[in-house]
Amino acid sequence: MLLIYIPENSERCQYVLELIFKQELGIEYHIVTDYKLFNLHREEKINYSNSRLPDSFFVNAAPLLFEKGIRQQNIIITQKDQVKVLFINEECDLGFDIFSSVFYMVSRYEEYLSFTPDNHGRFKASDSLAFKHNFLQQPIVNLWIDIFKTILKQRFHSLKIKTSSFNAFLINDIDVAYKFKA
């Protein structure tokens, strides 16, 4: 089983780890906050903190998942493998904090900040980070998870990762089936 070390557990961490590992990758994992227990583990392990630990995959944690409340984030966007990434950090094994990035996007974090609404009181897509940096039409979270999956496969050969599948069910939503029958 994959062990994930975080110095402090939070609901945000639990949410994003469940989304990435269980739902998207199909990986069983366990979270630990005890460094000694993490250090004793000899199988696959991920360190999500601010310091590199021996024998583990390191993701340098941005503060976002450990914060309470919502505040303006200082996000710098760059490219990795032809994909835009947030929360960059070249010191970590992935080059960016995938967990904070995924949380920021799937929670629609920026829509909870102050914004100028459209005529219907909604957040305008044109004000979004994705629009401003030209990745609004990309499945960015899925692309990040694919990059992460590739690196995890290279690093942890025995890790069982589910293969992605897509199913589409086309339906016709007909409220009044015979309204226009001639």
Side-chain angles (χ1 to χ4, degrees):
M1 176 179 288
L2 178 68
L3 198 64
I4 302 173
Y5 171 73
I6 53 178
E8 163 191 347
N9 206 344
S10 72
E11 290 179 356
R12 290 178 180 187
C13 282
Q14 290 174 11
Y15 171 77
V16 78
L17 294 175
E18 183 77 11
L19 173 70
I20 293 172
F21 289 102
K22 198 148 251 174
Q23 293 178 25
E24 293 298 316
L25 300 176
I27 297 173
E28 292 294 323
Y29 68 94
H30 184 70
I31 298 172
V32 295
T33 56
D34 182 349
Y35 166 72
K36 291 178 185 175
L37 185 64
F38 180 76
N39 197 35
L40 291 172
H41 189 72
R42 294 294 164 231
E43 296 176 37
E44 295 89 358
K45 53 188 183 178
I46 294 176
N47 165 21
Y48 185 56
S49 71
N50 294 120
S51 358
R52 188 174 288 279
L53 300 174
D55 303 320
S56 63
F57 186 89
F58 177 50
V59 179
N60 199 341
L64 179 64
L65 298 185
F66 305 102
E67 293 176 347
K68 304 283 190 232
I70 298 167
R71 66 173 182 83
Q72 188 69 41
Q73 300 292 317
N74 181 24
I75 298 176
I76 299 169
I77 298 177
T78 191
Q79 294 266 130
K80 176 168 180 54
D81 300 331
Q82 286 84 43
V83 176
K84 303 271 173 102
V85 295
L86 319 177
F87 297 99
I88 58 168
N89 191 311
E90 294 301 325
E91 293 176 25
C92 66
D93 294 337
L94 193 57
F96 71 107
D97 179 350
I98 186 171
F99 306 132
S100 289
S101 298
V102 167
F103 179 80
Y104 188 87
M105 294 306 292
V106 299
S107 69
R108 300 172 68 119
Y109 190 93
E110 64 192 336
E111 294 183 32
Y112 291 94
L113 301 168
S114 296
F115 65 89
T116 305
D118 68 5
N119 294 338
H120 304 286
R122 301 172 300 200
F123 183 84
K124 294 183 282 195
S126 59
D127 289 340
S128 72
L129 199 64
F131 180 85
K132 291 175 182 174
H133 292 277
N134 201 28
F135 62 90
L136 183 62
Q137 299 301 320
Q138 295 178 332
I140 199 73
V141 170
N142 297 88
L143 295 173
W144 293 335
I145 292 172
D146 285 344
I147 291 168
F148 190 43
K149 180 184 351 181
T150 300
I151 292 173
L152 287 177
K153 283 180 179 179
Q154 292 169 355
R155 179 77 182 255
F156 304 127
H157 303 292
S158 64
L159 196 61
K160 304 258 188 285
I161 301 174
K162 79 175 182 181
T163 55
S164 299
S165 63
F166 174 78
N167 292 318
F169 299 98
L170 302 176
I171 62 169
N172 290 317
D173 186 10
I174 303 172
D175 294 326
V176 183
Y178 296 102
K179 182 175 182 179
F180 301 104
K181 183 178 179 185

